Amino acid sequence: MKVFLATYGCQANERDSETILGLLAEMGYEETAEEPQADVILLNTCCIREKAEQKVFSYLGTLKQYKQARPGLVIGVCGCMAQEEDMPKLIRRRAPHVDFILGTHVLHRLPDMIRGAGHGAGLRCDREETGGIAEGLPSARRYPFKALINITYGCDNFCAYCVVPYVRGRERSRLPQDVLEESRRAVAEGALEIMYLGQNVNSYGNTWGAAQGRGGFAALLCQAQEIDGLRRIRFMTSHPRDFGDDVITAIAECDKVAGHIHLPVQSGADRVLARMNRGYGREEYFALIQSIRRRLPDAVLTTDVIVGFPGETEEDLQDTLDLLEEVGFDSAFTFMYSPRRGTAAALMEGQIPLEVKKARLRRVMEAQAASSLRLHRLLLGRELVVLAESWEEGVLSGRGEGNQLIHFPGGPQGVGCFHRVTVTEAQTWTLKGEVRGGE
Ligand code: SAH
Ligand code: SF4
Ligand code: F3S
């Protein structure tokens, strides 16, 4: 029996897909890359922006032919879209060939769902929030050499534009012993790098936290640092409002913790930040950048920016452009604001026309491209410690400590190993380099 799995969205979904494949492997399913061979087709979906959702619906459209040809084929929708209130209705209308919808809180019930699917039962839906964290689920890791590990689930921040708190539920932190146990197991199974995942890693532990005498995120990093055989620890995403000095100290003191901080700013304008409910202002963001730079001079900073948030003026955009210029991010994900059903911002006045958003996005992307190129050129001649992740036609590709994507000559056996790579060519999005010494 075979399963085809399409994953959309962020690393939370990438991680869930590993669990999905783990659960299916226990049922005897093998993964296939060809839909026509699959007995089960699953979509692990994202709804962060409208485009993400459109992509899923258009893919679902293409699956209709397979279902018609083979009525026994099981098609399931998992992930964040599954949690949207009106999704059962939308799927019934737009993709009636879907057999089931399974929510993000009940992944462990996937085997039941698959066993019960078909038999003319119509669309089944299971997404009741359970509140607890299901520990110990199997997982089939995508890469043996790097492990994605959740430290928190959900989000409590309710940024006005964002659907995540609604589709992923309240923030819950896993216990440190569970996180560390999973980390040790991943390393024992060959992982050299782990990536700690949370929508706001800086609030790790808030739900049980200091009151019980356990440390938060900084303490977790320091404990992970002690794992023998582990080479690098990454984490994502940092929230500027909650980013404490103790985390800066942990990064400075723990040599395995990568000096890369993804610190989404979203906007450079105080007015917009307040309406977004981000909980910090422009000056606070600058102050945080300064303390990071003072204590971690080599740290690489990256960010996310949204343009065209309701009410954003030309001056607000200018503030964002100034901030990008002043901070100098190594790279940035830039997005046009996309209204999401059920979020506060979708109902705000001052929605910005698409053409204006597009023009602003272009300006922000151009400014960021210039920054990226400038910073990448500073790396020429420097050596990066790179974990190679893939190989194609004599070229290895991997990421440096600062998450910089770099390509360099090498053989396929170099995948999954660390290399010392000297940067020889700098482009906006990527670097090229070569290995001059040993590992
Ligand atoms: N928890 C992370 C980000 C999760 S979503 C954080 O707080 O930074 C990833 C990025 O998508 C966000 O940082 C934001 O820039 C963008 N995003 C989220 N909702 C959006 C929306 N409605 N429209 C456009 N971009 C959005
Ligand atoms: Fe969304 Fe804000 Fe939570 Fe990030 S912190 S997931 S942007 S609500
Ligand atoms: Fe998308 Fe869900 Fe992640 S909405 S960005 S897959 S948490």
Side-chain angles (χ1 to χ4, degrees), residues 10 47-50 155 157 159 161-164 198-200 237-240 262-266 278 304-307 333-340 343:
C10 69
C47 52
I48 195 81
R49 285 166 291 274
E50 195 184 342
C155 184
N157 292 295
C159 300
Y161 49 81
C162 187
V163 75
V164 172
Q199 296 298 346
N200 172 356
T237 300
S238 300
H239 195 300
H262 184 63
L263 197 64
V265 67
Q266 313 299 1
R278 286 292 287 177
D304 293 348
V305 174
I306 297 177
V307 299
F333 294 111
T334 49
F335 307 105
M336 272 192 283
Y337 167 69
S338 167
R340 307 313 293 133
T343 62

Side-chain angles (χ1 to χ4, degrees), residues 85 108 252 326 382 404:
E85 209 173 302
H108 55 282
E326 196 163 331
R382 283 191 36 188
Q404 311 95 339

Side-chain angles (χ1 to χ4, degrees), residues 161-309:
Y161 49 81
C162 187
V163 75
V164 172
Y166 303 96
V167 294
R168 287 279 172 174
R170 297 291 65 70
E171 182 183 278
R172 288 140 289 152
S173 293
R174 290 177 73 195
L175 294 173
Q177 57 264 37
D178 291 330
V179 173
L180 291 165
E181 152 69 19
E182 186 179 343
S183 309
R184 283 188 207 102
R185 204 172 51 239
V187 172
E189 289 166 3
L192 297 174
E193 183 176 287
I194 56 183
M195 163 75 101
Y196 285 142
L197 296 176
Q199 296 298 346
N200 172 356
V201 292
N202 305 97
S203 60
Y204 175 69
N206 281 3
T207 40
W208 37 262
Q212 292 171 52
R214 302 190 190 101
F217 184 53
L220 182 73
L221 289 177
C222 296
Q223 284 171 290
Q225 160 79 17
E226 300 303 320
I227 299 175
D228 284 336
L230 177 60
R231 290 279 299 270
R232 191 141 76 190
I233 303 162
R234 297 186 180 281
F235 55 90
M236 214 173 161
T237 300
S238 300
H239 195 300
R241 184 196 57 215
D242 300 326
F243 200 104
D245 257 6
D246 56 343
V247 174
I248 303 182
T249 306
I251 302 172
E253 287 176 357
C254 303
D255 63 334
K256 292 179 185 172
V257 178
H260 167 222
I261 303 172
H262 184 63
L263 197 64
V265 67
Q266 313 299 1
S267 167
D270 278 332
R271 258 172 24 89
V272 177
L273 287 169
R275 284 158 59 89
M276 284 178 165
N277 191 31
R278 286 292 287 177
Y280 56 87
R282 180 184 173 87
E283 287 315 313
E284 285 161 288
Y285 191 84
F286 275 126
L288 175 58
I289 296 285
Q290 261 179 5
S291 8
I292 293 172
R293 288 256 159 86
R294 203 169 46 235
R295 306 205 26 224
L296 303 167
D298 289 329
V300 169
L301 295 163
T302 56
T303 200
D304 293 348
V305 174
I306 297 177
V307 299
F309 186 78

